[in-house]
Amino acid sequence: MIASLAGYLGKYVLIIVNHTQHGKCIETACRRNRIKAEFIHGKLSVAHQQNAIQRLNDGELNCLISTPVIDEGISVDNIKHIIYAAGYKSEIQVIQRVGRGKRKKTEGKNLLTIWDLADQGNNRCEKNSRQRFSVYKQITKQIEDVKLKSVINVARVIRGEVEIDNGD
């Protein structure tokens, strides 16, 4: 479903995962759905990571999937959508990851939509989701043009039941 959401959103999508195996699975699913995607992680060279990021910035890739290697010291310029496919709760990570998408865009409006796949069915995961949303709400009050979408049912998004603004 994450790959389907990325395909629906179009270009300049960043998907953040915690685990390498999860990222590989999403990359495979994206490619199966003919989505130009690449997965970067800490075991790849910095040059390889930077090349993939540049290809996303240039529009050659529709989607970049990354582990937390993207959290610090990497500039990604044209992100319109961030999909959080990892259940974390760190306020610092939330702020850093929103920062990935708030860089000045080279095309379209400087709009960022955060797609957080809300965790359900596990008390600890649900608590982490609530903590992330608390931080998002603080951020969206302080920063213009950041939208937050809590996604429990990705199919509703793809069917057009959830508003999408690609910043074009």
Side-chain angles (χ1 to χ4, degrees), residues 1-2 7 28 31 37 44-45 53 65 84 98 115 119 150 155:
M1 289 304 268
I2 294 169
T28 299
R31 289 185 176 170
L44 297 173
S45 71
I53 291 165
I65 306 145
Y84 291 118
V98 169
W115 299 85
D119 297 313
S150 171

Side-chain angles (χ1 to χ4, degrees), residues 49-124:
Q49 293 171 27
Q50 289 174 337
N51 179 269
I53 291 165
Q54 189 58 52
R55 290 183 19 243
L56 180 75
N57 285 338
D58 293 343
E60 295 171 30
L61 291 176
N62 296 75
C63 177
L64 183 66
I65 306 145
S66 180
T67 60
V69 71
I70 199 133
D71 283 349
E72 296 181 34
I74 295 177
S75 180
V76 186
D77 298 329
N78 285 320
I79 297 298
K80 292 183 181 182
H81 300 279
I82 297 177
I83 300 173
Y84 291 118
Y88 61 90
K89 65 178 182 176
S90 165
E91 184 174 338
I92 292 169
Q93 280 184 318
V94 171
I95 292 167
Q96 287 173 326
R97 291 171 180 183
V98 169
R100 294 292 133 242
K102 282 308 296 174
R103 303 268 195 269
K104 183 71 178 150
K105 313 292 190 269
T106 57
E107 60 181 62
K109 294 187 289 186
N110 197 31
L111 177 69
L112 171 67
T113 304
I114 300 166
W115 299 85
D116 193 303
L117 306 181
D119 297 313
Q120 292 185 329
N122 176 290
N123 289 337
R124 185 178 56 102

